[in-house]
Amino acid sequence: LSQDELPFAPYQTDLKKLVGNAYSFNPDWAKIRAGLEAAEAKIKEAKSGHFPKVALFGNLTHIWNNYDYGIVTAKNKDSWTVGMGMELPLFSGFRTTHEVKEAQARLGKLKEQQILLKEGIALQVKHLFIQMTSSQEQKKASEAAAQASEENRDLNERAYQEELVETKDVIEAQLIESLMKAQHQKALFDHVEAQSHLDFVVGQ
């Protein structure tokens, strides 16, 4: 073990702030937002099938050759072309319309997944936050119980030395002290574990 005692640092952050941070740093949330942007771009791409396509093109050719006879004459050494092409969609069997609907359906599916992911992340953060706050309360209660059990054991040992209590009472007090201190250590561990899980989910 790297430490003799489990550390305890009470968490003071607000739950809403933790959920907001989880959305900012969660990789799954970033992926689905990127997917939504891509799906919206696909809709624009599919809608472009309704519009005509226009292309301008040009070509310039020069032949470097000292020979001026045959087909390599001065006029043939330089040539150029300029043109324009246009593709006008008249009828494609409603293919473009259905491609747009398909892209919109994919976007709708991603939005539903985004809602589920949003609720899932918030629920996960809330669950871990409740676990952590519960372990903080358990730490306080177990610390008080461990202190009381230690005092009770000390009193029983002193009373045993004065022959005021029996051996079984001392052993019972020692066992209760060990149990209370073990529960206190478990509460500390639960708090550290819940805090580490929460930090992982939030992205810290």
Side-chain angles (χ1 to χ4, degrees):
L1 295 175
S2 61
Q3 296 175 334
D4 295 333
E5 295 182 1
L6 289 169
F8 178 75
Y11 222 80
Q12 304 294 339
T13 312
D14 184 41
L15 179 59
K16 291 182 179 179
K17 186 176 180 181
L18 287 174
V19 174
N21 290 339
Y23 293 144
S24 300
F25 297 105
N26 190 283
D28 294 329
W29 185 257
K31 284 180 184 177
I32 202 161
R33 289 188 65 182
L36 287 170
E37 292 177 2
E40 290 173 354
K42 279 288 184 183
I43 293 176
K44 293 180 180 179
E45 180 184 354
K47 287 181 177 180
S48 68
H50 290 297
F51 304 106
K53 298 176 183 177
V54 179
L56 297 174
F57 59 90
N59 182 33
L60 177 63
T61 304
H62 176 74
I63 300 174
W64 281 273
N65 195 327
N66 294 329
Y67 189 74
D68 294 330
Y69 302 97
I71 62 171
V72 191
T73 62
K75 290 183 179 181
N76 291 338
K77 285 183 180 180
D78 296 311
S79 63
W80 58 272
T81 55
V82 175
M84 183 181 72
M86 185 174 69
E87 181 181 336
L88 184 64
L90 295 177
F91 181 72
S92 60
F94 302 105
R95 176 182 174 181
T96 303
T97 303
H98 292 300
E99 285 178 348
V100 172
K101 290 181 179 180
E102 181 184 3
Q104 289 173 340
R106 288 178 181 174
L107 178 63
K109 180 181 177 182
L110 279 175
K111 286 183 177 179
E112 291 177 0
Q113 290 177 350
Q114 184 187 32
I115 293 172
L116 292 176
L117 180 61
K118 183 177 181 180
E119 292 176 353
I121 292 173
L123 187 62
Q124 190 177 14
V125 172
K126 186 176 181 181
H127 173 69
L128 291 171
F129 185 79
I130 291 173
Q131 276 188 341
M132 192 180 56
T133 52
S134 174
S135 64
Q136 287 182 184
E137 295 300 322
Q138 288 177 359
K139 183 262 180 188
K140 294 178 183 178
S142 62
E143 187 176 27
Q147 182 68 29
S149 65
E150 184 178 354
E151 294 173 357
N152 181 55
R153 185 262 310 158
D154 185 58
L155 287 174
N156 274 277
E157 287 179 349
R158 291 181 183 179
Y160 179 74
Q161 292 173 355
E162 300 295 331
E163 298 182 355
L164 297 175
V165 296
E166 298 181 2
T167 307
K168 67 179 182 66
D169 295 326
V170 177
I171 295 174
E172 183 179 351
Q174 291 173 341
L175 288 174
I176 291 175
E177 180 190 13
S178 299
L179 180 62
M180 292 298 103
K181 287 187 175 181
Q183 288 182 351
H184 177 60
Q185 292 298 317
K186 184 180 183 302
L188 289 173
F189 175 79
D190 290 343
H191 180 265
V192 172
E193 185 182 33
Q195 187 171 349
S196 65
H197 286 316
L198 185 61
D199 289 340
F200 177 77
V201 172
V202 173
Q204 297 177 354

